[in-house]
């Protein structure tokens, strides 16, 4: 079962910085799309953690989920998504409940992005 969190991001606007924050990595887009940068700490197994997203350009909605491609299942929790005034979208309550390769999936309404991460 794949669970996702969805949030209308009301305070998004033009002019968001396209310079990634410290430790941010670019997410891979499934189509030609504006850049999205992801900051994620080394996530612990079965413990909540937070990620940050930086979008280059305007967005109206953001959804975030994660799956284990090898097992074809997602997370057991709905993360909370919040647009901050500094142009960063914070996602809290992510939980990877088992070790292995996870894929973080982000959708900004018109574009989809992924990032693979190994959890030990």
């Amino acid at each position: 079962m794949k669970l996702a969190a969805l949030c209308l991001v009301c305070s998004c606007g033009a002019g968001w910085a396209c310079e990634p924050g410290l430790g941010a990595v670019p997410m891979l887009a499934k189509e030609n799309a504006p850049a999205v940068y992801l900051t994620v700490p080394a996530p612990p197994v079965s413990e909540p953690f937070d990620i940050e997203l930086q979008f280059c350009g305007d967005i109206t909605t953001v959804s975030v989920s994660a799956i284990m491609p090898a097992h074809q299942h997602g997370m057991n929790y709905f993360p909370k998504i919040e647009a901050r005034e500094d142009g960063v979208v914070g996602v809290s309550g992510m939980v990877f409940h088992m070790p292995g390769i996870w894929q973080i999936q982000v959708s900004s309404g018109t574009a989809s992005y992924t990032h693979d991460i190994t959890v030990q």
Side-chain angles (χ1 to χ4, degrees):
M1 171 171 45
K2 181 179 167 183
L3 300 179
L6 179 65
C7 169
L8 270 200
V9 182
C10 303
S11 62
C12 297
W16 280 24
C18 287
E19 293 296 321
L22 186 63
V25 296
M27 294 191 77
L28 298 175
K30 292 184 179 178
E31 57 273 311
N32 188 14
V36 171
Y37 296 97
L38 168 73
T39 303
V40 60
V45 175
S46 295
E47 291 185 30
F49 66 96
D50 300 340
I51 64 174
E52 292 183 339
L53 300 165
Q54 289 177 270
F55 291 85
C56 294
D58 294 333
I59 57 169
T60 55
T61 62
V62 174
S63 66
V64 178
S65 63
I67 64 166
M68 287 192 87
H71 297 270
Q72 295 298 305
H73 66 73
M75 297 185 304
N76 294 331
Y77 298 89
F78 287 100
K80 179 182 175 188
I81 301 172
E82 181 177 31
R84 300 191 326 222
E85 289 183 19
D86 62 359
V88 171
V89 175
V91 183
S92 59
M94 300 282 291
V95 179
F96 295 155
H97 57 272
M98 61 187 296
I101 297 174
W102 285 82
Q103 184 179 78
I104 297 173
Q105 301 175 327
V106 174
S107 173
S108 65
T110 59
S112 299
Y113 305 84
T114 61
H115 179 73
D116 292 343
I117 189 163
T118 301
V119 178
Q120 299 181 2

